[in-house]
Amino acid sequence: MVTAEVAERPGASPEEAFEAVIAAEQRIEPRDWMPDAYRATLVRQIAQHAHSEIIGMQPEGNWLTRAPSLRRKAILLAKAQDEAGHGLYLYAAAETLGVDRAELTEKLISGRQKYSSIFNYPTLTFADVGVIGWLVDGAAICNQVPLCRCSYGPYARAMVRICKEESFHQRQGYELLMTLMRGTEAQRRMVQDAVDRWWWPSLMMFGPSDAASPNTARSMAWRIKRHTNDELRQRFVDMTVPQAEHLGVTLPDPGMSWNEERGSWDFGEPDWSELNRVIQGQGPCNAQRVDRRRAAHEEGAWVREAATAYAEKRRAEAGASAGTDASTRTHAATATNAAAEPDAGTKTEQENGK
Amino acid sequence: MTDDHVYLSLAEASPEPEGEGRWAYGTGFADPLLGVDTAVPPGLDGADLAAYCLMLGDDALVLSQRLIEWCTRAPELEEEVALANLGLDLLGQARQLLTRAGQADGSGRTEDDLAYWREEHEFRNVRLVEAPNGDFAYSIARLLLFSTVRGALYEALAGHADPVLAAVAARGVKELAYHREYATAWTLRLGDGTPYSAERMQAGLDAVWPLLEELLTAHPVELRVGVDPATLREPVLRSLAAVLAEAGLAVPDVPGLATVGGRAGRDGVHSEAMGLLLAELQVLARAHPGATW
């Protein structure tokens, strides 16, 4: 265990042990003592991240049934599947902190927890699929790569895998855009139009400017966050400008210019009042996204109840006839159904941790 | 900022061979049948082989489209992952079979030519796969019937004289075994879950059952070049009956859905749902004739 040598120093209080682990750049694990506010910050951040993966399936999913070639359809479907998988790892990481997925889902569909506001914008053409891969996944990667070194172990480990997969998505998106830019005039127009609509919302994905971001300092002290919003935004812009040139599209920011002295691009200020409106629920798709998620959850309730009832019957049978050969096949089927048995293993860990 | 390099390496638009395996068919998918001899073996009629591949390929394509419609609507996240997975398997089979059809009939039509540019009456899928999804129980019931029949068929086709069809079937056997397991597991959970779920599962089976007959009825092309589905009837019905018995569900006692003047899906005569399904599937490709995506 990574934390052992620091945490087990005799005479250290739990607070001191925690601070020592953080200072030594080691990982906090679910059973370790942690301040309530650290736990709460992580729950909020991981849940929001998990919700973003799941809600984020909707804008791209909008094009799944209409994808214009079978290859693009397969790629997009594989991506949607990955996103559902990311949601699963992240909910599992949140569960190590003593919350459960059902509770977090309730908070999402009742509007008490947020997801990334970028997904409250509509996907209007197939080029949006490519631009989401390039810009939105690109911005997400900028935000997420540092999280692979986050002080909370389960979150950091989930992020390693997620970042790897996101990088494929980003490359796929860029490859789609390259193909469209080599295509017809209509396809090139489609790409430019999508870039025009997604550029500013992508910049807003890094959150408000540092001056207006109250939580940044504490999250950085706890090594949950490693760079400020403005640092990450700048990094994203510096990386994206040459990619846009290579692609042959114009970024919709007339004020953008190379700053020799800083060795970085100067760029314009996003319209924060628009972001605030989207955060407050007035975005073009807020209601639609949450409604869809709520409908899926509510319409699926009878299915989840059936799975739970089925699993309970099998457990009761196994208890009644312990040692006899109670159908191993159906048991195997039940064990794979996490709907019926939400992360039994993780739950034990939580209980031990409390 | 010390961790720049991670993202910078991602941002380089280099081709990444090690990444190919991550995608269902890789990012450079050009020839799905690479390494298999694509000449039509002597003694096989190319037109018949093409027609047969279209039947099987269209079944897979259309059911895949229906499974894709579940995306973001599934009852649980695990089901999102699983249903997308099944859809990807079937889409992969469809791509290989349509590509084979375009080779075998000598037309050189690609998978996309066949998927996006044929008219409804040229599609050869059974009506079972085009029916709208209904509720989760109906979708599971359909999947159970389809995967049971298709799994048995692929087993028989794995020794087919056409090496391409044999290769697709051999790979498909494993995929369909998983599809059948998934559908079986849910049939048991819904059938033996709550009284309400049992009712809905039974209703789903009752509604989908009339469409089974078409899948088990031979079309002349199948008799000439494929496997006579009549030979699958007995094992398929036995297997389905076993699953339903374990789930506490009744085998529906309903007649097969009638044809239209003797014609049905395999002859290009579909249900009303098919036109809408194709309108959605084809709309973007058809709006840009000649474009590459």
Side-chain angles (χ1 to χ4, degrees):
Chain A
M1 193 165 166
V2 214
T3 58
E5 63 187 90
V6 185
E8 287 172 9
R9 189 167 52 81
S13 70
E15 288 88 340
E16 285 166 350
F18 173 83
E19 292 299 341
V21 169
I22 298 285
E25 296 270 342
Q26 291 179 341
R27 296 277 162 81
I28 302 295
E29 295 299 335
R31 296 167 198 211
D32 296 343
W33 182 89
M34 62 188 87
D36 290 344
Y38 176 87
R39 187 185 294 273
T41 298
L42 278 166
V43 168
R44 185 176 55 90
Q45 183 172 334
I46 299 172
Q48 194 163 314
H49 192 167
H51 298 331
S52 299
E53 295 284 354
I54 300 308
I55 296 288
M57 293 166 70
Q58 289 184 33
E60 291 174 290
N62 183 35
W63 287 94
L64 270 173
T65 54
R66 291 174 291 169
S69 76
L70 297 185
R71 171 174 173 257
R72 293 290 174 203
K73 194 189 276 284
I75 289 172
L76 193 54
L77 184 54
K79 181 177 179 187
Q81 190 188 20
D82 280 354
E83 283 162 353
H86 295 174
L88 282 171
Y89 321 144
L90 288 164
Y91 284 122
E95 286 184 327
T96 65
L97 292 159
V99 289
D100 71 36
R101 199 207 300 178
E103 180 186 335
L104 298 176
T105 302
E106 275 306 322
K107 286 185 174 163
L108 169 65
I109 62 182
S110 62
R112 282 175 293 153
Q113 278 181 348
K114 303 283 185 203
Y115 51 89
S116 180
S117 285
I118 192 85
F119 301 122
N120 288 320
Y121 288 89
T123 49
L124 302 180
T125 73
F126 197 71
D128 289 36
V129 169
V131 170
I132 287 179
W134 174 40
L135 295 180
V136 175
D137 293 339
I141 292 166
C142 273
N143 270 331
Q144 291 170 3
V145 163
L147 292 174
C148 299
R149 297 194 295 125
C150 159
S151 61
Y152 187 58
Y155 191 28
R157 287 188 289 275
M159 290 317 302
V160 171
R161 181 161 174 194
I162 290 173
C163 283
K164 232 174 163 177
E165 295 185 346
E166 292 290 351
S167 77
F168 287 103
H169 300 169
Q170 200 217 7
R171 196 162 290 162
Q172 283 300 326
Y174 197 72
E175 187 263 335
L176 168 58
L177 297 179
M178 289 294 286
T179 305
L180 299 186
M181 291 304 286
R182 283 194 298 263
T184 64
E185 189 50 40
Q187 287 175 308
R188 277 190 291 278
R189 268 203 309 274
M190 208 182 261
V191 174
Q192 184 62 57
D193 165 65
V195 170
D196 291 346
R197 284 181 288 109
W198 288 95
W199 172 249
W200 293 109
S202 300
L203 288 188
M204 294 182 208
M205 284 177 71
F206 297 94
S209 68
D210 295 346
S213 176
N215 298 325
T216 292
R218 195 174 59 179
S219 284
M220 287 181 71
W222 277 336
R223 307 280 203 272
I224 293 173
K225 211 169 160 167
R226 291 184 171 270
H227 306 293
T228 70
N229 296 349
D230 286 334
E231 282 169 353
L232 291 168
R233 189 165 15 244
Q234 180 71 59
R235 183 191 298 193
F236 173 71
V237 171
D238 289 346
M239 241 150 14
T240 304
V241 170
Q243 291 170 355
E245 276 168 18
H246 183 62
L247 197 57
V249 296
T250 309
L251 298 173
D253 180 353
M256 198 174 257
S257 63
W258 177 249
N259 183 323
E260 195 63 61
E261 202 176 312
R262 290 198 305 123
S264 267
W265 288 86
D266 289 335
F267 58 97
E269 191 77 8
D271 178 358
W272 297 116
S273 67
E274 179 179 298
L275 178 64
N276 284 331
R277 292 188 61 193
V278 177
I279 290 173
Q280 284 159 21
Q282 299 155 34
C285 301
N286 295 54
Q288 175 190 335
R289 301 288 186 238
V290 174
D291 285 353
R292 165 74 69 82
R293 183 72 194 94
R294 187 188 302 115
H297 189 69
E298 288 173 357
E299 284 162 20
W302 69 274
V303 174
R304 296 189 301 276
E305 281 157 21
T308 305
Y310 179 83
E312 276 163 11
K313 286 184 196 177
R314 300 292 82 80
R315 265 194 294 271
E317 274 175 17
S321 62
T324 66
D325 63 334
S327 166
T328 47
R329 183 173 59 78
T330 50
H331 279 270
T334 312
T336 60
N337 174 35
E341 300 178 308
D343 293 307
T346 333
K347 208 152 259 166
T348 314
E349 225 169 45
Q350 285 162 23
E351 282 156 10
N352 293 346
K354 278 181 186 165
Chain B
M1 295 200 270
T2 52
D3 43 2
D4 277 357
H5 62 282
V6 184
Y7 181 65
L8 285 177
S9 69
L10 304 179
E12 284 161 16
S14 61
E16 195 193 42
E18 80 272 17
E20 293 293 303
R22 277 264 322 116
W23 296 98
Y25 291 93
T27 55
F29 181 10
D31 182 3
L33 304 165
L34 200 69
V36 179
D37 182 2
T38 55
V40 176
L44 273 182
D45 182 87
D48 274 348
L49 178 62
Y52 191 51
C53 288
L54 279 185
M55 291 175 178
L56 303 184
D58 287 345
D59 284 349
L61 176 65
V62 172
L63 184 52
S64 159
Q65 181 80 355
R66 287 299 185 209
L67 285 166
I68 286 171
E69 291 174 8
W70 271 105
C71 187
T72 75
R73 292 175 172 87
E76 188 53 289
L77 297 183
E78 284 78 359
E79 275 38 74
E80 291 285 354
V81 175
L83 294 169
N85 206 5
L86 306 190
L88 268 173
D89 284 346
L90 291 172
L91 183 54
Q93 292 166 21
R95 295 177 66 185
Q96 294 176 317
L97 290 163
L98 295 187
T99 301
R100 184 54 175 161
Q103 291 168 344
D105 69 6
S107 68
R109 284 179 294 179
T110 65
E111 57 180 58
D112 287 339
D113 291 337
L114 289 165
Y116 291 95
W117 297 94
R118 275 181 301 156
E119 301 298 323
E120 176 179 331
H121 66 89
E122 298 172 285
F123 277 78
R124 290 290 179 264
N125 56 283
V126 290
R127 292 173 295 180
L128 173 78
V129 294
E130 72 204 33
N133 279 336
D135 67 356
F136 190 68
Y138 182 90
S139 284
I140 289 296
R142 184 219 328 249
L143 194 62
L144 180 69
L145 301 193
F146 182 81
S147 59
T148 304
V149 177
R150 188 51 43 98
L153 178 67
Y154 278 163
E155 269 178 40
L157 282 176
H160 196 270
D162 178 38
V164 177
L165 185 53
V168 173
R171 178 177 169 160
V173 165
K174 291 176 214 141
E175 294 173 342
L176 267 296
Y178 169 69
H179 299 194
R180 190 171 157 273
E181 243 172 64
Y182 180 81
T184 299
W186 272 109
T187 302
L188 296 177
R189 284 185 202 116
L190 297 180
D192 191 17
T194 63
Y196 181 68
S197 70
E199 200 179 293
R200 285 184 78 158
M201 189 65 220
Q202 188 66 58
L205 285 164
D206 292 349
V208 82
W209 211 268
L211 291 160
L212 176 62
E213 188 56 29
E214 192 181 344
L215 206 49
L216 294 174
T217 305
H219 184 277
V221 165
E222 292 176 284
L223 295 177
R224 288 198 296 270
V225 77
V227 168
D228 178 359
T231 61
L232 309 174
R233 181 181 294 267
E234 200 275 325
V236 160
L237 292 179
R238 188 156 27 91
S239 155
L240 290 172
V243 171
L244 299 195
E246 193 178 338
L249 296 161
V251 175
D253 181 19
V254 288
L257 196 66
T259 56
V260 179
R263 294 186 300 156
R266 294 278 187 246
D267 313 291
V269 176
H270 294 280
S271 57
E272 289 179 354
M274 184 65 174
L276 291 169
L277 180 143
L278 286 180
E280 190 170 353
L281 189 146
Q282 297 177 331
V283 61
L284 179 55
R286 288 184 172 219
H288 298 266
T292 300
W293 300 90

